Amino acid sequence: MRILYAALDQQVPGTLGGSVHVRAVAEGLAALGHEVHVAVAQGGPWPAGSVHWHAMRPPLGRPELRWMRAGAVADLARQVGADVVMERYYNFGGEGVAAARQLGVPSVLEVNAPVIDYPGSTKSRLDRALLVEPMRRWRDSLCRQAALLVTPNAQILPSWLDRAKVLEAEWGADVDSFRPDVTGPLPFTRDPARVLCVFAGAFRSWHGVAQMAASLARLHRQGEDRLGAVFIGDGPERAAAEQLTRDVPGVTFTGAVPHDQLPQCLAAADIGVAPFDPGKHKPLALGFYWSPLKIFEYMSAGLPVVAPRLSRIAALVSDGDEGLLYDPADPRTLDDALVRLTDTELRERLGGAARVRAVAQYSWRAHCALLDTRLRALVAARSGTRT
């Protein structure tokens, strides 16, 4: 099968979750024997392998203008003879769905951000002011036209949508690369006398990096110096986190690290921290809808996970089995979870169970196998053949 995958606002290679996701899905489908073409912004030399990468940025580099590339995506789809067109959903996208319609092939919409508006959203207020609600109508139209919608959580899709068109599937981790035994050069120095906590990701406010930094600072003031930390990544909260931990020994900020170097970084750590703060991101009023890559990668690397007790996270990480969950309304419960994991036996038990669950349930291989089955069914239905 020939697949065209449009993700024009993502950069490959890249360090952010969207970049990792696009590359993993493309390579996973190629490994299953498909001819995969991907239209993305180019971030450096294309990854080696069998995936065909095509540089295509949104006009002026603005993701809200992605839809204007519909003609170019359709031309590319014709050129490669696409049997199906996948599109990574964005509020102002639609170029992949439009291209599929022009070619008369099935379209797949990959959705990991809400299609519906959260209460009080700026978009919904603007839509109402425009009377005909053009943005909602556009999003609804994309959902109607798509032959399949792939999402980790169907609650972020319109309630009227036919659930037979929806594939609920978690995102994942490369469980072959992220392993407890990986070694390699590190962008930090490991202090063997301390239990090393790691945060890896974008330093956005709702990712909670400042909460983790504040926790380490509180513990240090209380005389708890068994913990160290490495903060991997960059973003708007980095300065605040650095300020909070300025007097805390054993804390390192590496900046952004290429994703292919992240496995050895996680393997060198002891605890994976995912301190999400839903109150800092208004769309999360709909509920924690993410399928968090950092949690899957921590688990795959054999790290016990420390994360807030939110409904979706609790479904991914069982408290006391693969990690420890804390009360997001009480920051001192984060302190308690970190201190509990200075116990080597507890860390090893939870980390081992996390690795087992990641391999069984949260691999990109498993995700792509589910997607492959649905894609083959779509193409077979269109051609009138059996899968």
Side-chain angles (χ1 to χ4, degrees), residues 290-328:
W290 278 319
S291 191
L293 300 188
K294 65 165 58 62
I295 287 181
F296 301 144
E297 291 175 348
Y298 292 162
M299 294 174 73
S300 184
L303 299 181
V305 175
V306 172
R309 188 179 292 105
L310 304 170
S311 58
R312 267 192 53 73
I313 291 180
L316 302 173
V317 180
S318 297
D319 188 23
D321 289 330
E322 297 96 20
L324 298 178
L325 305 183
Y326 62 88
D327 180 358

mmCIF file of all heavy atoms in Angstrom, residues 290-328:
data_model
loop_
_atom_site.group_PDB
_atom_site.id
_atom_site.type_symbol
_atom_site.label_atom_id
_atom_site.label_comp_id
_atom_site.label_asym_id
_atom_site.label_seq_id
_atom_site.Cartn_x
_atom_site.Cartn_y
_atom_site.Cartn_z
ATOM 1 N N TRP A 290 -4.147 13.831 26.606
ATOM 2 C CA TRP A 290 -2.889 13.446 25.960
ATOM 3 C C TRP A 290 -2.592 11.958 26.089
ATOM 4 O O TRP A 290 -3.046 11.287 27.014
ATOM 5 C CB TRP A 290 -1.708 14.189 26.584
ATOM 6 C CG TRP A 290 -1.514 15.568 26.066
ATOM 7 C CD1 TRP A 290 -1.627 15.999 24.787
ATOM 8 C CD2 TRP A 290 -1.173 16.711 26.841
ATOM 9 N NE1 TRP A 290 -1.364 17.343 24.716
ATOM 10 C CE2 TRP A 290 -1.093 17.802 25.957
ATOM 11 C CE3 TRP A 290 -0.926 16.918 28.186
ATOM 12 C CZ2 TRP A 290 -0.763 19.080 26.386
ATOM 13 C CZ3 TRP A 290 -0.601 18.185 28.620
ATOM 14 C CH2 TRP A 290 -0.527 19.249 27.721
ATOM 15 N N SER A 291 -1.795 11.487 25.170
ATOM 16 C CA SER A 291 -1.160 10.184 25.284
ATOM 17 C C SER A 291 0.324 10.501 25.418
ATOM 18 O O SER A 291 1.034 10.660 24.424
ATOM 19 C CB SER A 291 -1.442 9.346 24.031
ATOM 20 O OG SER A 291 -1.054 8.013 24.201
ATOM 21 N N PRO A 292 0.821 10.656 26.652
ATOM 22 C CA PRO A 292 2.115 11.321 26.888
ATOM 23 C C PRO A 292 3.321 10.459 26.540
ATOM 24 O O PRO A 292 3.596 9.450 27.196
ATOM 25 C CB PRO A 292 2.068 11.644 28.387
ATOM 26 C CG PRO A 292 1.115 10.642 28.956
ATOM 27 C CD PRO A 292 0.116 10.319 27.891
ATOM 28 N N LEU A 293 4.050 10.890 25.524
ATOM 29 C CA LEU A 293 5.213 10.133 25.073
ATOM 30 C C LEU A 293 6.252 9.979 26.172
ATOM 31 O O LEU A 293 6.893 8.923 26.282
ATOM 32 C CB LEU A 293 5.855 10.818 23.859
ATOM 33 C CG LEU A 293 5.008 10.995 22.606
ATOM 34 C CD1 LEU A 293 5.880 11.503 21.464
ATOM 35 C CD2 LEU A 293 4.322 9.709 22.211
ATOM 36 N N LYS A 294 6.459 11.035 26.986
ATOM 37 C CA LYS A 294 7.513 10.942 27.992
ATOM 38 C C LYS A 294 7.235 9.814 28.970
ATOM 39 O O LYS A 294 8.145 9.108 29.392
ATOM 40 C CB LYS A 294 7.721 12.268 28.717
ATOM 41 C CG LYS A 294 6.571 12.769 29.557
ATOM 42 C CD LYS A 294 7.025 13.883 30.506
ATOM 43 C CE LYS A 294 7.635 15.069 29.825
ATOM 44 N NZ LYS A 294 6.710 15.768 28.914
ATOM 45 N N ILE A 295 5.973 9.608 29.331
ATOM 46 C CA ILE A 295 5.654 8.529 30.267
ATOM 47 C C ILE A 295 5.967 7.174 29.646
ATOM 48 O O ILE A 295 6.555 6.293 30.285
ATOM 49 C CB ILE A 295 4.184 8.623 30.720
ATOM 50 C CG1 ILE A 295 4.014 9.807 31.677
ATOM 51 C CG2 ILE A 295 3.726 7.324 31.377
ATOM 52 C CD1 ILE A 295 2.618 9.988 32.215
ATOM 53 N N PHE A 296 5.593 6.986 28.384
ATOM 54 C CA PHE A 296 5.867 5.708 27.723
ATOM 55 C C PHE A 296 7.372 5.462 27.595
ATOM 56 O O PHE A 296 7.847 4.338 27.750
ATOM 57 C CB PHE A 296 5.207 5.661 26.353
ATOM 58 C CG PHE A 296 3.707 5.831 26.398
ATOM 59 C CD1 PHE A 296 3.052 6.520 25.396
ATOM 60 C CD2 PHE A 296 2.951 5.306 27.431
ATOM 61 C CE1 PHE A 296 1.677 6.679 25.427
ATOM 62 C CE2 PHE A 296 1.577 5.461 27.472
ATOM 63 C CZ PHE A 296 0.942 6.161 26.466
ATOM 64 N N GLU A 297 8.125 6.523 27.307
ATOM 65 C CA GLU A 297 9.575 6.362 27.165
ATOM 66 C C GLU A 297 10.240 6.114 28.513
ATOM 67 O O GLU A 297 11.186 5.318 28.606
ATOM 68 C CB GLU A 297 10.157 7.575 26.441
ATOM 69 C CG GLU A 297 9.729 7.613 24.975
ATOM 70 C CD GLU A 297 10.165 8.841 24.212
ATOM 71 O OE1 GLU A 297 10.619 9.820 24.841
ATOM 72 O OE2 GLU A 297 10.050 8.843 22.966
ATOM 73 N N TYR A 298 9.776 6.788 29.565
ATOM 74 C CA TYR A 298 10.285 6.485 30.902
ATOM 75 C C TYR A 298 10.050 5.005 31.222
ATOM 76 O O TYR A 298 10.953 4.300 31.698
ATOM 77 C CB TYR A 298 9.553 7.297 31.970
ATOM 78 C CG TYR A 298 9.784 8.785 31.997
ATOM 79 C CD1 TYR A 298 8.894 9.621 32.674
ATOM 80 C CD2 TYR A 298 10.880 9.380 31.384
ATOM 81 C CE1 TYR A 298 9.072 10.979 32.745
ATOM 82 C CE2 TYR A 298 11.074 10.758 31.435
ATOM 83 C CZ TYR A 298 10.153 11.556 32.120
ATOM 84 O OH TYR A 298 10.331 12.915 32.177
ATOM 85 N N MET A 299 8.823 4.537 31.001
ATOM 86 C CA MET A 299 8.483 3.161 31.332
ATOM 87 C C MET A 299 9.316 2.180 30.519
ATOM 88 O O MET A 299 9.815 1.177 31.038
ATOM 89 C CB MET A 299 6.991 2.918 31.102
ATOM 90 C CG MET A 299 6.087 3.704 32.043
ATOM 91 S SD MET A 299 4.322 3.544 31.641
ATOM 92 C CE MET A 299 3.999 1.862 32.180
ATOM 93 N N SER A 300 9.472 2.470 29.231
ATOM 94 C CA SER A 300 10.259 1.593 28.365
ATOM 95 C C SER A 300 11.707 1.507 28.835
ATOM 96 O O SER A 300 12.354 0.463 28.716
ATOM 97 C CB SER A 300 10.188 2.094 26.926
ATOM 98 O OG SER A 300 10.852 1.227 26.047
ATOM 99 N N ALA A 301 12.221 2.615 29.383
ATOM 100 C CA ALA A 301 13.590 2.650 29.884
ATOM 101 C C ALA A 301 13.723 1.999 31.259
ATOM 102 O O ALA A 301 14.816 1.969 31.828
ATOM 103 C CB ALA A 301 14.088 4.090 29.948
ATOM 104 N N GLY A 302 12.619 1.490 31.795
ATOM 105 C CA GLY A 302 12.662 0.824 33.085
ATOM 106 C C GLY A 302 12.674 1.760 34.270
ATOM 107 O O GLY A 302 13.155 1.390 35.354
ATOM 108 N N LEU A 303 12.129 2.978 34.082
ATOM 109 C CA LEU A 303 12.083 3.941 35.178
ATOM 110 C C LEU A 303 10.716 3.919 35.856
ATOM 111 O O LEU A 303 9.682 3.899 35.163
ATOM 112 C CB LEU A 303 12.342 5.364 34.663
ATOM 113 C CG LEU A 303 13.679 5.634 33.994
ATOM 114 C CD1 LEU A 303 13.757 7.100 33.573
ATOM 115 C CD2 LEU A 303 14.837 5.275 34.906
ATOM 116 N N PRO A 304 10.666 3.956 37.174
ATOM 117 C CA PRO A 304 9.385 4.186 37.839
ATOM 118 C C PRO A 304 8.925 5.606 37.525
ATOM 119 O O PRO A 304 9.745 6.533 37.478
ATOM 120 C CB PRO A 304 9.718 4.020 39.321
ATOM 121 C CG PRO A 304 11.174 4.342 39.425
ATOM 122 C CD PRO A 304 11.788 3.896 38.133
ATOM 123 N N VAL A 305 7.645 5.774 37.301
ATOM 124 C CA VAL A 305 7.097 7.069 36.893
ATOM 125 C C VAL A 305 6.490 7.781 38.090
ATOM 126 O O VAL A 305 5.751 7.171 38.880
ATOM 127 C CB VAL A 305 6.026 6.886 35.799
ATOM 128 C CG1 VAL A 305 5.360 8.217 35.460
ATOM 129 C CG2 VAL A 305 6.639 6.251 34.556
ATOM 130 N N VAL A 306 6.783 9.064 38.226
ATOM 131 C CA VAL A 306 6.106 9.926 39.193
ATOM 132 C C VAL A 306 5.289 10.925 38.396
ATOM 133 O O VAL A 306 5.824 11.651 37.551
ATOM 134 C CB VAL A 306 7.117 10.643 40.107
ATOM 135 C CG1 VAL A 306 6.403 11.675 40.976
ATOM 136 C CG2 VAL A 306 7.861 9.642 40.966
ATOM 137 N N ALA A 307 3.974 10.943 38.626
ATOM 138 C CA ALA A 307 3.071 11.777 37.840
ATOM 139 C C ALA A 307 1.836 12.104 38.670
ATOM 140 O O ALA A 307 1.553 11.425 39.666
ATOM 141 C CB ALA A 307 2.665 11.050 36.551
ATOM 142 N N PRO A 308 1.079 13.135 38.281
ATOM 143 C CA PRO A 308 -0.133 13.473 39.026
ATOM 144 C C PRO A 308 -1.223 12.422 38.855
ATOM 145 O O PRO A 308 -1.299 11.763 37.818
ATOM 146 C CB PRO A 308 -0.550 14.819 38.429
ATOM 147 C CG PRO A 308 0.052 14.841 37.069
ATOM 148 C CD PRO A 308 1.334 14.075 37.176
ATOM 149 N N ARG A 309 -2.051 12.292 39.876
ATOM 150 C CA ARG A 309 -3.146 11.326 39.835
ATOM 151 C C ARG A 309 -4.312 11.940 39.051
ATOM 152 O O ARG A 309 -5.222 12.552 39.594
ATOM 153 C CB ARG A 309 -3.592 10.948 41.248
ATOM 154 C CG ARG A 309 -4.608 9.796 41.300
ATOM 155 C CD ARG A 309 -4.993 9.442 42.712
ATOM 156 N NE ARG A 309 -3.877 8.851 43.446
ATOM 157 C CZ ARG A 309 -3.163 9.474 44.382
ATOM 158 N NH1 ARG A 309 -3.447 10.742 44.692
ATOM 159 N NH2 ARG A 309 -2.168 8.875 45.000
ATOM 160 N N LEU A 310 -4.253 11.775 37.736
ATOM 161 C CA LEU A 310 -5.310 12.202 36.823
ATOM 162 C C LEU A 310 -5.880 10.953 36.170
ATOM 163 O O LEU A 310 -5.171 9.955 36.016
ATOM 164 C CB LEU A 310 -4.753 13.147 35.759
ATOM 165 C CG LEU A 310 -4.041 14.401 36.282
ATOM 166 C CD1 LEU A 310 -3.331 15.119 35.151
ATOM 167 C CD2 LEU A 310 -5.032 15.328 36.964
ATOM 168 N N SER A 311 -7.131 11.006 35.763
ATOM 169 C CA SER A 311 -7.809 9.786 35.341
ATOM 170 C C SER A 311 -7.071 9.058 34.225
ATOM 171 O O SER A 311 -6.853 7.849 34.296
ATOM 172 C CB SER A 311 -9.252 10.083 34.927
ATOM 173 O OG SER A 311 -9.284 11.036 33.879
ATOM 174 N N ARG A 312 -6.654 9.777 33.191
ATOM 175 C CA ARG A 312 -5.981 9.089 32.082
ATOM 176 C C ARG A 312 -4.602 8.591 32.478
ATOM 177 O O ARG A 312 -4.187 7.498 32.082
ATOM 178 C CB ARG A 312 -5.884 10.008 30.850
ATOM 179 C CG ARG A 312 -7.067 9.807 29.917
ATOM 180 C CD ARG A 312 -6.883 10.473 28.573
ATOM 181 N NE ARG A 312 -5.671 10.155 27.871
ATOM 182 C CZ ARG A 312 -5.404 8.982 27.272
ATOM 183 N NH1 ARG A 312 -6.264 8.001 27.334
ATOM 184 N NH2 ARG A 312 -4.266 8.801 26.625
ATOM 185 N N ILE A 313 -3.879 9.364 33.270
ATOM 186 C CA ILE A 313 -2.555 8.910 33.697
ATOM 187 C C ILE A 313 -2.684 7.682 34.586
ATOM 188 O O ILE A 313 -1.911 6.727 34.473
ATOM 189 C CB ILE A 313 -1.792 10.046 34.398
ATOM 190 C CG1 ILE A 313 -1.416 11.125 33.374
ATOM 191 C CG2 ILE A 313 -0.536 9.516 35.084
ATOM 192 C CD1 ILE A 313 -0.662 12.288 33.935
ATOM 193 N N ALA A 314 -3.698 7.670 35.444
ATOM 194 C CA ALA A 314 -3.903 6.510 36.315
ATOM 195 C C ALA A 314 -4.249 5.256 35.522
ATOM 196 O O ALA A 314 -4.007 4.137 35.985
ATOM 197 C CB ALA A 314 -5.006 6.817 37.327
ATOM 198 N N ALA A 315 -4.799 5.441 34.326
ATOM 199 C CA ALA A 315 -5.078 4.287 33.462
ATOM 200 C C ALA A 315 -3.820 3.777 32.782
ATOM 201 O O ALA A 315 -3.762 2.616 32.362
ATOM 202 C CB ALA A 315 -6.128 4.660 32.411
ATOM 203 N N LEU A 316 -2.809 4.630 32.661
ATOM 204 C CA LEU A 316 -1.556 4.257 31.998
ATOM 205 C C LEU A 316 -0.508 3.742 32.981
ATOM 206 O O LEU A 316 0.305 2.879 32.633
ATOM 207 C CB LEU A 316 -0.984 5.465 31.256
ATOM 208 C CG LEU A 316 -1.871 6.110 30.186
ATOM 209 C CD1 LEU A 316 -1.227 7.398 29.679
ATOM 210 C CD2 LEU A 316 -2.124 5.150 29.046
ATOM 211 N N VAL A 317 -0.511 4.307 34.180
ATOM 212 C CA VAL A 317 0.465 3.971 35.217
ATOM 213 C C VAL A 317 -0.301 3.636 36.487
ATOM 214 O O VAL A 317 -0.957 4.510 37.061
ATOM 215 C CB VAL A 317 1.424 5.150 35.493
ATOM 216 C CG1 VAL A 317 2.428 4.785 36.581
ATOM 217 C CG2 VAL A 317 2.132 5.585 34.225
ATOM 218 N N SER A 318 -0.234 2.417 36.930
ATOM 219 C CA SER A 318 -0.932 2.031 38.156
ATOM 220 C C SER A 318 -0.115 2.451 39.367
ATOM 221 O O SER A 318 1.072 2.108 39.474
ATOM 222 C CB SER A 318 -1.160 0.518 38.194
ATOM 223 O OG SER A 318 -2.008 0.112 37.133
ATOM 224 N N ASP A 319 -0.751 3.214 40.260
ATOM 225 C CA ASP A 319 -0.079 3.699 41.458
ATOM 226 C C ASP A 319 0.383 2.516 42.306
ATOM 227 O O ASP A 319 -0.401 1.644 42.671
ATOM 228 C CB ASP A 319 -1.051 4.568 42.263
ATOM 229 C CG ASP A 319 -0.382 5.266 43.429
ATOM 230 O OD1 ASP A 319 0.848 5.459 43.391
ATOM 231 O OD2 ASP A 319 -1.094 5.625 44.394
ATOM 232 N N GLY A 320 1.671 2.486 42.581
ATOM 233 C CA GLY A 320 2.226 1.413 43.380
ATOM 234 C C GLY A 320 2.639 0.197 42.578
ATOM 235 O O GLY A 320 3.220 -0.745 43.135
ATOM 236 N N ASP A 321 2.358 0.203 41.279
ATOM 237 C CA ASP A 321 2.758 -0.914 40.421
ATOM 238 C C ASP A 321 3.866 -0.520 39.450
ATOM 239 O O ASP A 321 4.909 -1.172 39.395
ATOM 240 C CB ASP A 321 1.557 -1.446 39.635
ATOM 241 C CG ASP A 321 0.567 -2.170 40.515
ATOM 242 O OD1 ASP A 321 0.992 -2.751 41.533
ATOM 243 O OD2 ASP A 321 -0.642 -2.156 40.208
ATOM 244 N N GLU A 322 3.623 0.532 38.638
ATOM 245 C CA GLU A 322 4.655 1.005 37.698
ATOM 246 C C GLU A 322 5.198 2.374 38.074
ATOM 247 O O GLU A 322 6.074 2.912 37.407
ATOM 248 C CB GLU A 322 4.095 1.072 36.273
ATOM 249 C CG GLU A 322 3.663 -0.258 35.704
ATOM 250 C CD GLU A 322 2.179 -0.522 35.871
ATOM 251 O OE1 GLU A 322 1.419 0.443 36.078
ATOM 252 O OE2 GLU A 322 1.783 -1.697 35.811
ATOM 253 N N GLY A 323 4.660 2.967 39.118
ATOM 254 C CA GLY A 323 5.097 4.283 39.537
ATOM 255 C C GLY A 323 4.326 4.741 40.747
ATOM 256 O O GLY A 323 3.575 3.966 41.355
ATOM 257 N N LEU A 324 4.493 6.011 41.088
ATOM 258 C CA LEU A 324 3.772 6.620 42.198
ATOM 259 C C LEU A 324 3.031 7.844 41.681
ATOM 260 O O LEU A 324 3.625 8.688 40.987
ATOM 261 C CB LEU A 324 4.741 7.023 43.313
ATOM 262 C CG LEU A 324 5.535 5.886 43.976
ATOM 263 C CD1 LEU A 324 6.488 6.457 45.011
ATOM 264 C CD2 LEU A 324 4.609 4.848 44.589
ATOM 265 N N LEU A 325 1.760 7.941 42.001
ATOM 266 C CA LEU A 325 0.931 9.070 41.582
ATOM 267 C C LEU A 325 0.661 9.967 42.784
ATOM 268 O O LEU A 325 0.405 9.478 43.886
ATOM 269 C CB LEU A 325 -0.382 8.573 40.975
ATOM 270 C CG LEU A 325 -0.246 7.587 39.807
ATOM 271 C CD1 LEU A 325 -1.633 7.227 39.263
ATOM 272 C CD2 LEU A 325 0.625 8.159 38.696
ATOM 273 N N TYR A 326 0.732 11.268 42.552
ATOM 274 C CA TYR A 326 0.549 12.226 43.643
ATOM 275 C C TYR A 326 -0.662 13.111 43.378
ATOM 276 O O TYR A 326 -1.196 13.150 42.256
ATOM 277 C CB TYR A 326 1.809 13.081 43.839
ATOM 278 C CG TYR A 326 2.176 13.934 42.650
ATOM 279 C CD1 TYR A 326 1.653 15.214 42.485
ATOM 280 C CD2 TYR A 326 3.062 13.467 41.677
ATOM 281 C CE1 TYR A 326 1.998 16.002 41.392
ATOM 282 C CE2 TYR A 326 3.410 14.249 40.581
ATOM 283 C CZ TYR A 326 2.870 15.507 40.446
ATOM 284 O OH TYR A 326 3.190 16.273 39.365
ATOM 285 N N ASP A 327 -1.106 13.812 44.409
ATOM 286 C CA ASP A 327 -2.268 14.697 44.321
ATOM 287 C C ASP A 327 -1.834 16.014 43.694
ATOM 288 O O ASP A 327 -1.055 16.757 44.305
ATOM 289 C CB ASP A 327 -2.832 14.927 45.725
ATOM 290 C CG ASP A 327 -4.054 15.836 45.734
ATOM 291 O OD1 ASP A 327 -4.449 16.333 44.658
ATOM 292 O OD2 ASP A 327 -4.602 16.052 46.834
ATOM 293 N N PRO A 328 -2.325 16.337 42.483
ATOM 294 C CA PRO A 328 -1.859 17.576 41.846
ATOM 295 C C PRO A 328 -2.279 18.839 42.603
ATOM 296 O O PRO A 328 -1.707 19.905 42.379
ATOM 297 C CB PRO A 328 -2.512 17.520 40.454
ATOM 298 C CG PRO A 328 -3.669 16.593 40.602
ATOM 299 C CD PRO A 328 -3.269 15.594 41.639
#
